[in-house]
Each structure stands twice: as structure tokens, then as C-alpha cells.
Amino acid sequence: QVQLVESGGGSVQAGGSLRLSCVTSSETYSRSCMAWFRQAPGKEREAVATIYTGVGSGRTHADSVKGRFTMSQDSVKSTVYLQMNGLKPEDTAMYYCAAVGGGCYYPPTSSRFTFWGQGTQVTVSS
């Protein structure tokens, strides 16, 4: 059974930072598109960032987080990260890690991703 396990969420004040982690098996991690999505109450799930774990390691970030969030990877640990700086109250949401075999496509849509973590809550207060 494929597992993606997120960690690192929490409550911070506006302007603060958090780093989310998502660990999975080496089989799932290898040559996959991995992504962070978020979903706030009453809103649709939206893509935050993607990264391809194969050659090239191309990555994308949503316009709403560019310059503040950075997705990265550690192939040895089969882990992806989301470094979130300059957090704003509108970043408050449940953050999900997702994976699908093969390359990343733009724009990233949640329906394409096969595997999902349980989510980690991020709350930003003003």
C-alpha cells in the first residue's frame, strides 16, 4: 500500500515560516511528479507546487506563493519539502502531498494524482 506521510504543519503568526515534509517509499518517489496541494474550508483544492523527481527535477509554484514558498526534494530520503516563508492568513488550509508516476504537467490538476497523504493543517493568524 502506497503511503505518503506529511508533517510540519502548525499554527504561526503572519510573516512566520513553516517547513512541510512528505516522505514516501523509494518506489513511489522514483521518477514521479510530486506535488503539494492545499484546501481551505469551503474552497476547492488548489495546487501549490510540483516537482519532478527524475532527471531535470523541474518544479513549478503557484503564482500566489511564488517568492514565498519553495518546494524541494531529497532523493536519498525519498522526501519532498515545502518551505513556506512570509506566511499570510490566506495561506491557512489543509496541505496535502500527492504523487503520480511520470512527469509533471501544467497546470497540475488534483484528478491526475494517484496517491495522497492525509494532510497537515497550516493555520496563520493575523
Side-chain angles (χ1 to χ4, degrees), residues 51-64:
I51 194 165
Y52 177 59
T53 63
V55 175
S57 301
R59 60 186 178 181
T60 64
H61 297 83
D63 288 343
S64 59

Side-chain angles (χ1 to χ4, degrees), residues 12-89:
V12 297
Q13 291 190 327
S17 299
L18 287 172
R19 187 176 81 154
L20 306 183
S21 301
C22 172
V23 61
T24 188
S25 67
S26 57
E27 291 78 11
T28 301
Y29 180 88
S30 178
R31 293 187 296 277
S32 292
C33 180
M34 297 195 69
W36 288 99
F37 285 80
R38 68 184 180 185
Q39 188 166 21
K43 294 188 176 181
E44 292 188 356
R45 189 169 296 189
E46 64 171 349
V48 176
T50 67
I51 194 165
Y52 177 59
T53 63
V55 175
S57 301
R59 60 186 178 181
T60 64
H61 297 83
D63 288 343
S64 59
V65 305
K66 279 182 181 176
R68 300 188 299 123
F69 293 10
T70 303
M71 187 170 185
S72 62
Q73 61 175 316
D74 184 333
S75 59
V76 174
K77 296 180 179 180
S78 298
T79 300
V80 294
Y81 304 95
L82 185 67
Q83 178 66 45
M84 306 186 293
N85 299 326
L87 282 160
K88 303 176 181 180

Side-chain angles (χ1 to χ4, degrees), residues 1-6 22-24 28 34-39 45-48 94-100 108-119:
Q1 183 177 359
V2 175
Q3 284 191 312
L4 287 79
V5 181
E6 305 106 329
C22 172
V23 61
T24 188
T28 301
M34 297 195 69
W36 288 99
F37 285 80
R38 68 184 180 185
Q39 188 166 21
R45 189 169 296 189
E46 64 171 349
V48 176
M94 185 70 80
Y95 283 71
Y96 298 91
C97 179
V100 61
T109 55
S110 59
S111 60
R112 181 171 178 265
F113 287 80
T114 309
F115 306 112
W116 291 84
Q118 293 299 308

